[in-house]
Amino acid sequence: MQALVDVEGTAHRPRITWFADCVTSAITGPAMTPGRPSREPVLAAFVLGGPA
């Protein structure tokens, strides 16, 4: 399935980045961005998946 999001009137394919816990296979840190992959969504996923 292909998904598109509207960014200021232009269609973009969203990119999803996540970190997973290898023991439980749980996704601990997701992040989605509508543009090209960059370090910001990777860092956001890392922060969301970090210890509380």
Side-chain angles (χ1 to χ4, degrees), residues 2-29:
Q2 182 176 357
L4 296 174
V5 294
D6 181 14
V7 179
E8 299 178 0
T10 305
H12 291 275
R13 188 172 307 159
R15 309 287 190 212
I16 301 173
T17 302
W18 68 81
F19 283 88
D21 178 14
C22 294
V23 174
T24 63
S25 298
I27 296 174
T28 60

Side-chain angles (χ1 to χ4, degrees), residues 29-52:
M32 186 168 68
T33 182
R36 289 181 175 262
S38 66
R39 77 175 80 163
E40 286 85 8
V42 172
L43 291 174
F46 181 74
V47 168
L48 288 172

